[in-house]
Amino acid sequence: QITLRESGPTLVRPTQTLTLTCTFSGFSLSTAGVGVAWIRQPPGKALEWLAFIYWDDDKRYSPSLKSRLTITKDTSKNQVVLTMTNMDPADTATYFCSHRGPEGHTSFDYWGQGTLVTVSS
Amino acid sequence: SYVLTQPPSVSVAPGETAKITCGGNNIGSKSVHWYQQRPGQAPVLVIYFDSDRPSGIPERFSGSNSGNTATLTISRVEAGDEADFYCQVWDTSSDPRGIIFGGGTKLTVL
């Protein structure tokens, strides 16, 4: 059974750096074809993809946020970490991590419950 | 960059059929996925690869994709289907590339 859980600060000050951790079980990020994404959702708004990391450490970023994002993985700990620099109140959102479906799939079949991050001074 | 357009809202009476559209340039050439998100919950994949259903998703949920429009169809709508629905593609052809979500459609069961 695949599960994912996001963790990190609930409150971040403007200009600070946000670090979120996705801890997962039920799969390994060292298995060919596996990938994990970070997706966010501002209150009352739509889903927005942020970053994606493949089993082979290849990475993809949202073009509009690429300069502020870094995604890494720790295979031994079953974790994926997202850092976002220079946080702004507009970055207030629920942040989700999700598992990409089997190799060749382009959908996300398992999601964490999300963590709400508020950016405020 | 590639854009997916959804109607903000769709309303349907219980027992009727709901159709939620997702528009995009030549979207028929891409694989479209659909998610249901109930208030306060994480999204749930309900349709992948245009028309496939994950295990546990009722047969009432179906999908199609052709030309410039993909459609999620929910037959015999129930009160419990009320939620926000999002379409998604993984665009590898346009520049810049990436994972794209539609703006979401709120399904209201009257």
Side-chain angles (χ1 to χ4, degrees):
Chain A
Q1 179 187 1
I2 291 176
T3 64
L4 304 99
R5 185 183 75 252
E6 306 87 352
S7 60
T10 58
L11 179 63
V12 175
R13 306 301 182 189
T15 74
Q16 286 187 335
T17 294
L18 171 68
T19 299
L20 293 173
T21 300
C22 175
T23 303
F24 56 84
S25 63
F27 66 95
S28 172
L29 250 181
S30 60
T31 300
V34 175
V36 171
W38 281 97
I39 294 157
R40 73 177 179 179
Q41 185 174 38
K45 296 188 177 181
L47 300 169
E48 178 185 20
W49 168 65
L50 300 176
F52 182 85
I53 190 164
Y54 290 86
W55 79 99
D56 60 359
D57 211 37
D58 192 11
K59 301 162 187 177
R60 297 286 184 269
Y61 295 101
S62 166
S64 62
L65 293 167
K66 184 176 183 178
S67 63
R68 300 173 52 205
L69 296 173
T70 302
I71 189 170
T72 60
K73 63 181 177 69
D74 186 330
T75 304
S76 65
K77 293 183 179 179
N78 281 351
Q79 291 181 334
V80 172
V81 175
L82 180 76
T83 60
M84 180 180 292
T85 62
N86 193 24
M87 293 293 284
D88 181 271
D91 296 312
T92 293
T94 296
Y95 288 74
F96 298 97
C97 61
S98 61
H99 169 271
R100 190 185 70 165
E103 187 168 8
H105 280 230
T106 54
S107 58
F108 299 96
D109 54 357
Y110 293 92
W111 295 62
Q113 84 279 10
T115 185
L116 175 61
V117 177
T118 301
V119 184
S120 174
S121 56
Chain B
S1 61
Y2 197 74
V3 176
L4 296 175
T5 302
Q6 298 182 238
S9 63
V10 168
S11 299
V12 63
E16 298 299 310
T17 297
K19 290 184 180 293
I20 298 173
T21 58
C22 178
N25 184 34
N26 197 25
I27 196 173
S29 67
K30 305 181 186 300
S31 292
V32 179
H33 317 295
W34 291 92
Y35 302 87
Q36 177 185 39
Q37 186 181 33
R38 296 187 172 94
Q41 297 185 18
V44 172
L45 180 67
V46 294
I47 293 289
Y48 64 99
F49 284 154
D50 298 340
S51 59
D52 290 340
R53 268 188 323 275
S55 61
I57 300 301
E59 292 183 5
R60 301 184 296 104
F61 289 78
S62 62
S64 62
N65 184 18
S66 178
N68 294 317
T69 305
T71 303
L72 172 69
T73 301
I74 309 171
S75 304
R76 303 180 300 282
V77 167
E78 304 173 355
D81 297 332
E82 192 163 278
D84 294 326
F85 289 85
Y86 295 91
C87 57
Q88 176 247 316
V89 301
W90 194 313
D91 185 49
T92 58
S93 60
S94 63
D95 186 19
R97 304 175 179 183
I99 297 161
I100 299 163
F101 288 94
T105 298
K106 180 176 181 57
L107 175 66
T108 299
V109 181
L110 301 171

